Amino acid sequence: MAFDGQSGVGPFRWSHVGGPRSRCPFGAGGRGAVSASTVGLVKHTLFAALALLAVTSVSAAAAADGPGALGVTAVTPKSPQGARVGVLAGADKAGGLTGNHFCTASVVHSPNRNLVLTAAHCLSGGGDLVFVPGYRDGRAPYGVWTVKRRFLPDGWSKGQDEDSDMAFAVLAPRGGKEIEDVVGANRFVTGTATGATAVTVTGYPDAREVPISCTNRPHAHSGGQQRIDCPEFTGGTSGSPWVNGDRQVVGVLGGHEQGGSTANRSYSVVFGAAAARLYKDAAADP
């Protein structure tokens, strides 16, 4: 069902993951002549140490460019991928966004290159809205984009069914370009198995002016809901995308308890046939 929103909450987890320490004891010694077996041991140990150093360097580089440890929340680094996530705010607040954003949304690919995904409860209110991708500290590095049309599931519009708490918004072009032309997009997919891979959740708490991210593996909560344990996802993070390693959006923060009742555990609807139909309708909108 299409509508031409505003509201928002979205809590959610706590997890502390410590990295294991690794030890590589090295010992050899003796004065005078060194036996062949000792030389062999030294060579083996040196090669092992060099291999460990190489693996550690690769792991450190991956961590610097990737999500880091599972279940740990941190400020999202600036990146092309992060630019696809932004805040929703009332159009009357576009000139002063600090403290005035209320939900999160993200750009998903569509033929018309103008679509964002969020929670249905973020779009079901009144008033004109804007989307600000890559928002940080009151700044809109990729511009402020007007929401021109909303697509909410019938299940949400008619009864606020928590298994239908996802929605799309079509954005008006800006400067002759569509939003996807400026920041790119992730792919919206349906029918993926819950927990098949870890996902990264990125969102904007109301009380912060920068996005946060956490990576973990989702689990089934019910037939229509999935959950993830990640700390600090408080009000304002509703609509945060759940993105897997293939840059596919497989969840959106919302659903059960409109996202969750604590900051430690978040929920998402399971994207099935109804979500696929809604996407088809929204993606066809010019």
Side-chain angles (χ1 to χ4, degrees):
M1 180 176 292
F3 288 85
D4 281 320
Q6 180 164 335
S7 121
V9 284
F12 331 64
R13 144 167 221 228
W14 175 151
S15 169
H16 179 74
V17 179
R21 288 192 186 169
S22 54
R23 294 181 298 170
C24 184
F26 175 83
R31 283 180 302 197
V34 180
S35 68
S37 61
T38 301
V39 171
L41 175 62
V42 171
K43 285 182 178 180
H44 175 79
T45 308
L46 284 172
F47 281 128
L50 289 171
L52 177 62
L53 178 60
V55 170
T56 303
S57 299
V58 171
S59 299
D65 193 42
L70 296 181
V72 175
T73 297
V75 173
T76 310
K78 293 181 180 179
S79 69
Q81 179 73 8
R84 300 169 185 177
V85 184
V87 297
L88 290 173
D92 60 332
K93 306 294 184 182
L97 291 167
T98 302
N100 289 317
H101 49 89
F102 66 88
C103 267
T104 302
S106 67
V107 184
V108 292
H109 173 67
S110 67
N112 294 313
R113 307 177 68 81
N114 59 0
L115 205 59
V116 296
L117 169 70
T118 188
H121 72 260
C122 292
L123 297 183
S124 57
D128 295 331
L129 297 179
V130 294
F131 171 69
V132 187
Y135 171 80
R136 283 177 188 263
D137 297 317
R139 297 182 177 87
Y142 305 99
V144 176
W145 299 73
T146 300
V147 172
K148 70 174 184 178
R149 199 167 184 211
R150 313 170 199 201
F151 287 80
L152 284 77
D154 286 339
W156 182 266
S157 301
K158 294 177 180 178
Q160 295 194 352
D161 176 12
E162 65 176 21
D163 289 345
S164 298
D165 193 7
M166 52 84 64
F168 296 99
V170 176
L171 305 180
R174 186 176 183 275
K177 294 183 177 181
E178 303 293 350
I179 183 66
E180 195 173 333
D181 299 326
V182 177
V183 299
N186 295 315
R187 287 187 295 146
F188 177 79
V189 298
T190 61
T192 59
T194 297
T197 62
V199 301
T200 298
V201 184
T202 301
Y204 287 82
D206 285 341
R208 304 183 70 162
E209 298 303 315
V210 292
I212 58 173
S213 295
C214 172
T215 300
N216 214 339
R217 188 178 292 272
H219 297 278
H221 174 70
S222 66
Q225 299 282 328
Q226 52 187 326
R227 71 177 193 272
I228 194 169
D229 289 338
C230 279
E232 302 180 43
F233 278 76
T234 52
T237 57
S238 286
S240 300
W242 298 20
V243 183
N244 66 17
D246 294 324
R247 297 186 178 178
Q248 298 172 329
V249 184
V250 297
V252 61
L253 202 154
H256 182 57
E257 297 173 331
Q258 293 196 2
S261 60
T262 75
N264 299 329
R265 176 165 287 176
S266 301
Y267 297 88
S268 167
V269 302
V270 174
F271 293 160
R277 289 193 298 270
L278 188 67
Y279 170 77
K280 183 178 180 181
D281 290 343
D285 191 82

